[in-house]
Amino acid sequence: MLTTKRPTFRHSRGPDRRRRRLLGSLSAAVAVLVALSLNAPPSLAGTTPAEAGGTGPVTALTAGGWSGRIDWRACPERPDDPGTRCGTLRLPVDWARPGGETFQLALARRTATDPAARIGVLVFNPGGPGLSGVDVALTADSQLGRDVLRRFDIVGFDPRGTVRSAPVRCSSALLGQHPSLTPANAAEFARLRAYNRQLRDDCRAQSGPLFDHLDSVSVARDTDAIRAALGERQLSFYQWSYGTLIGQAYAELFPDRVRALVMDSVMDHSQGVREYFRSGAASNEALFHEFVAWCERTPGCALHGRDVPALFDRLMRRADAGTLVDPATGAKLTWFDLGFTTVINFFDATWADLATMLLALERGEAAPLASLRVPVDSDEDLTEYALPAFCQDWSLPVDGFADWNRYLDLSRAAAPHLRASPLAVRFGAICLGWTANNPQHRLRVRTSAPLLVLNGRYDPATPYDGAQRVVRQLGSRGHLVTYEGSGHASYPRTECTRRQVERYLITRTTPPIGASCPAAPV
């Protein structure tokens, strides 16, 4: 796991400055996305006036032990900013039992800078799972365009089980014992499944009943409770990466409460396990060839003039033979380690760094490598661990070691150089043995609002063909903007992508069929 830090989508006037800030910011999303880190609306007895569609203040719900009131206060990070407030909202752990146990959801709101021009509330979710929406709201002036800030209250929250909202915690010692994510034989595969079961039981014991209710449908219902508590009839959304699952679930559950919804770097939640492995592998392989083409035409590439695919294949063979070593640590690198650290560089399109790293590995020199290890504080008994949310949203059944190898063979056919999507393999391995609360299905969205999907053609985490499938599932309401470049999260990358998103949020104007934005220089 990489070190996590706050994501920021900076707006600045100079393109070079904006580019540097962007590349620094998106590494936070990478850190959490790769970290080891619905069918009907909730039945709420004692529905408040706002829940019924009114816009007045919300009183406490009469059923259950939870309240529809937000306890607002000054934010510790911004105590002197009257336009930004932090709060908590007590919500049911299990929405099927609204009278049962509760937890406190943390949220923050930045009010519109021009109240007379205010449109409503824009909910910003940066995904992960595990990134903080509260942090997004606290830094909204560096995340979004001025006109969006002028017209919307920006609301962000930490989804249940993360950061400030009753985070899931697991034994640090057990997390530090994680077995290989690429088992080499049936015994190692069985060991991984057994470890997953042991870790799941440990996390449940350390975290309480909320552990079993972390899925995106539960988070979508939390979101609607926020809407009701704010007294809003509808919400607008900017959802990014894993956060797009929350947006999809909300649009399915509450179609009439969606004013506008942007899904940037969208997850296709209709894929079965075969397509999950194949699509990710094919997408990463296409991105690898984009890197190769860049190196061929760029004199500044450390591998310019070299046969990059052949070099990469040699490194893979050395990894297979056990002779590829990280000089900084002396640790042997597997094919999966090499693929993982390569794909991490694709998130921010830091291709010059990738070329330098591959050259250093070829020469046996020290190279900065993305770590796969979970950062465990040896001085603490428990470590926060956000990943169980993924395993509750994705059903990825693998029937034994032979079945696992079949999926890896399928991946290798789609990605002869990278061999697989490291993210698909990693999440597939970590979720072995889980039963999903919110398994994949085709979208059933009946909203009358137009919905905007934005995706990069060469996105390392959310394949472009998945975005195309999502738009088809949305039918006439779905509109796709293609960012013709690489990297994860497209909105902040160019003036064109920002303009498309911000115009839609403010006016709900949708782009024409086939709309695209050119790639930013790498």
Side-chain angles (χ1 to χ4, degrees):
M1 178 176 175
L2 307 179
T3 303
T4 57
K5 59 183 178 180
R6 179 180 305 165
T8 51
F9 288 172
R10 306 273 185 187
H11 280 250
S12 60
R13 294 293 175 237
D16 293 339
R17 182 181 175 198
R18 180 173 61 239
R19 180 68 174 160
R20 289 194 301 270
R21 286 176 169 176
L22 172 63
L23 295 183
S25 70
L26 292 183
S27 60
V30 179
V32 179
L33 181 62
V34 301
L36 285 176
S37 61
L38 179 179
N39 300 323
S43 175
L44 303 181
T47 302
T48 66
E51 178 72 8
T55 57
V58 179
T59 58
L61 295 178
T62 58
W66 63 284
S67 169
R69 293 189 302 267
I70 299 174
D71 177 22
W72 291 113
R73 59 193 182 280
C75 297
E77 298 87 346
R78 305 185 70 164
D80 300 323
D81 180 4
T84 303
R85 306 289 286 176
C86 291
T88 55
L89 179 62
R90 187 164 289 280
L91 296 174
V93 165
D94 181 357
W95 278 102
R97 299 176 56 250
E101 295 181 83
T102 63
F103 76 101
Q104 284 197 329
L105 184 105
L107 66 161
R109 176 175 64 186
R110 183 193 188 280
T111 56
T113 59
D114 185 354
R118 180 184 181 274
I119 293 172
V121 167
L122 175 64
V123 177
F124 192 134
N125 189 294
L131 288 176
S132 169
V134 170
D135 288 347
V136 166
L138 293 177
T139 58
D141 53 349
S142 64
Q143 309 276 356
L144 297 161
R146 289 196 184 103
D147 209 26
V148 173
L149 296 172
R150 185 173 73 89
R151 306 293 296 273
F152 290 95
D153 292 352
I154 309 302
V155 171
F157 64 95
D158 293 347
R160 53 173 55 211
T162 67
V163 198
R164 304 166 182 85
S165 297
V168 166
R169 292 184 172 91
C170 310
S171 166
S172 300
L174 188 57
L175 282 170
Q177 299 168 14
H178 208 294
S180 171
L181 297 176
T182 53
N185 51 52
E188 289 187 7
F189 182 86
R191 190 177 306 123
L192 177 59
R193 285 184 66 99
Y195 173 85
N196 286 353
R197 182 170 57 251
Q198 182 184 6
L199 181 62
R200 189 165 62 246
D201 292 345
D202 175 84
C203 298
R204 181 182 291 113
Q206 306 294 351
S207 306
L210 188 66
F211 178 81
D212 292 311
H213 303 279
L214 304 172
D215 57 277
S216 292
V217 170
S218 295
V219 179
R221 290 171 172 166
D222 295 343
T223 305
D224 199 60
I226 294 172
R227 176 203 60 78
L230 293 172
E232 297 290 324
R233 188 179 67 84
Q234 291 183 316
L235 295 173
S236 298
F237 296 90
Y238 173 81
Q239 308 284 65
W240 169 29
S241 189
Y242 201 82
T244 63
L245 291 188
I246 301 168
Q248 291 171 31
Y250 191 90
E252 287 187 312
L253 289 166
F254 312 107
D256 60 328
R257 298 172 188 175
V258 177
R259 176 192 166 271
L261 169 59
V262 176
M263 291 179 280
D264 183 357
S265 299
V266 67
M267 299 194 81
D268 173 18
H269 200 226
S270 70
Q271 299 176 88
V273 62
R274 286 180 59 85
E275 184 61 16
Y276 170 79
F277 278 94
R278 188 214 63 79
S279 176
S283 177
N284 282 183
E285 185 78 2
L287 186 43
F288 175 76
H289 285 287
E290 285 296 297
F291 163 68
V292 171
W294 171 83
C295 226
E296 289 175 348
R297 67 175 182 268
T298 306
C301 172
L303 300 176
H304 181 64
R306 301 284 304 276
D307 185 338
V308 177
L311 180 151
F312 194 84
D313 290 347
R314 287 195 298 273
L315 292 176
M316 280 290 194
R317 289 193 294 270
R318 285 172 54 188
D320 292 338
T323 61
L324 186 65
V325 176
D326 178 0
T329 64
K332 293 181 179 180
L333 301 176
T334 68
W335 71 267
F336 180 72
D337 296 328
L338 178 59
F340 177 85
T341 199
T342 298
V343 168
I344 290 307
N345 282 276
F346 289 157
F347 271 73
D348 294 342
T350 50
W351 291 355
D353 293 342
L354 174 58
T356 301
M357 181 199 77
L358 294 176
L359 181 62
L361 286 174
E362 182 190 42
R363 294 174 173 174
E365 299 170 351
L369 302 176
S371 174
L372 287 164
R373 302 178 70 87
V374 178
V376 175
D377 188 341
S378 59
D379 296 329
E380 298 291 338
D381 293 334
L382 301 177
T383 295
E384 292 185 12
Y385 187 67
L387 193 64
F390 186 98
C391 301
Q392 293 185 21
D393 277 327
W394 289 86
S395 176
L396 301 171
V398 179
D399 186 19
F401 181 64
D403 203 29
W404 175 257
N405 273 342
R406 279 193 289 272
Y407 292 128
L408 290 187
D409 289 343
L410 178 69
S411 297
R412 189 161 185 166
H417 297 293
L418 285 173
R419 301 188 182 180
S421 160
L423 297 184
V425 171
R426 192 175 199 187
F427 283 122
I430 291 171
C431 295
L432 280 175
W434 283 75
T435 299
N437 301 346
N438 173 37
Q440 301 94 294
H441 62 275
R442 287 185 61 82
L443 278 170
R444 300 182 294 269
V445 175
R446 299 293 181 266
T447 179
S448 61
L451 308 176
L452 185 67
V453 173
L454 174 65
N455 213 92
R457 190 173 293 277
Y458 303 103
D459 191 306
T462 55
Y464 181 70
D465 61 350
Q468 293 175 309
R469 288 190 295 270
V470 168
V471 171
R472 286 196 295 269
Q473 292 168 51
L474 293 172
S476 63
R477 310 317 298 166
H479 302 268
L480 175 64
V481 175
T482 301
Y483 170 61
E484 298 292 350
S486 61
H488 191 50
S490 297
Y491 161 58
R493 292 193 176 271
T494 69
E495 192 63 37
C496 175
T497 53
R498 287 191 297 274
R499 183 173 62 251
Q500 291 278 11
V501 168
E502 292 170 9
R503 181 178 63 179
Y504 163 77
L505 286 174
I506 293 168
T507 68
R508 298 204 303 178
T509 300
T510 55
I513 295 174
S516 68
C517 289
V522 176

